[in-house]
Amino acid sequence: MSRTRGVGRTGRLHVTVTDSRGRPHALARWLGPWLEQHAPLAARGTVAVALVTDARMRVLNRTFRRVDSATDVLSFPAFARGFGGQAKPQVPRLKPRAQDPKPQASGPKPQAPSHLGDLAIAMGVAARQAQAQGHNLATELRILALHGLLHLLGYDHERDRGTMRTVEDRLRRRAGLPAGLITRTPKRP
């Protein structure tokens, strides 16, 4: 099976996994392909996942959410709906996007996939959560990546009256994952 640059195994989503400096991470061998395979059908384009330290996550969380602590996963959509439903670019980019594929000499020009956005996952937080939940780090990283991807696709469990939870539960069951992030996190008053 041939792969077009910028398109993953599914032909619709490509995931890159790096450290906080944009260098390929050893976990990229399985986390990127796993997310490509288990993503919802609506996920088309590219996603960059940065596996970062808790200290780096704390800075990101403080900067973009005004919360001075590390969190497990942050999502930075490439586009969000602004007032009037118009798409507007979001910041920051955690790493530069791959170059668009070059057109072929003959035949149709390949479509450059759109960039859905970036995810940051705190490795220390993920390891502690994995231990607390009684599963391994790989399982926790899958749960966090799936959760973050749903945010990139526009789901928001704090505002959507259970839609994101329903989608996350369905996808995690299909992927053989234990309780999702929304399910195991108590609702805030």
Side-chain angles (χ1 to χ4, degrees), residues 68-92:
D68 192 19
S69 62
T71 189
D72 47 12
V73 60
L74 286 176
S75 301
F76 299 98
F79 292 91
R81 294 292 165 199
F83 296 108
Q86 295 180 349
K88 60 180 184 177
Q90 295 290 294
V91 290

Side-chain angles (χ1 to χ4, degrees), residues 2 10 12 24 39 45 53 64 66 84 89 110 117-118 132 159 173 179 184:
S2 69
T10 62
R12 58 187 169 81
T53 65
F64 296 101
R66 293 181 173 78
D118 300 335
R159 295 187 181 104
R173 277 194 307 272
R184 68 184 195 209

Side-chain angles (χ1 to χ4, degrees), residues 44-80:
R44 296 183 182 279
T46 61
V47 172
V49 179
L51 302 177
V52 302
T53 65
D54 288 2
R56 178 70 176 135
M57 180 61 87
R58 182 178 179 182
V59 170
L60 290 169
N61 206 20
R62 183 175 53 234
T63 302
F64 296 101
R65 295 181 63 227
R66 293 181 173 78
V67 177
D68 192 19
S69 62
T71 189
D72 47 12
V73 60
L74 286 176
S75 301
F76 299 98
F79 292 91

Side-chain angles (χ1 to χ4, degrees), residues 76-144:
F76 299 98
F79 292 91
R81 294 292 165 199
F83 296 108
Q86 295 180 349
K88 60 180 184 177
Q90 295 290 294
V91 290
R93 296 218 23 93
L94 293 177
K95 67 179 237 26
R97 166 179 348 167
Q99 296 295 320
D100 292 339
K102 294 181 180 177
Q104 298 172 354
S106 62
K109 294 181 181 179
Q111 293 287 331
S114 64
H115 185 68
L116 295 176
D118 300 335
L119 302 177
I121 298 176
M123 292 296 287
V125 174
R128 289 188 297 278
Q129 287 179 179
Q131 185 175 18
Q133 294 297 317
H135 53 245
N136 61 33
L137 178 60
T139 297
E140 187 66 15
L141 291 174
R142 288 178 178 114
I143 291 168
L144 296 175

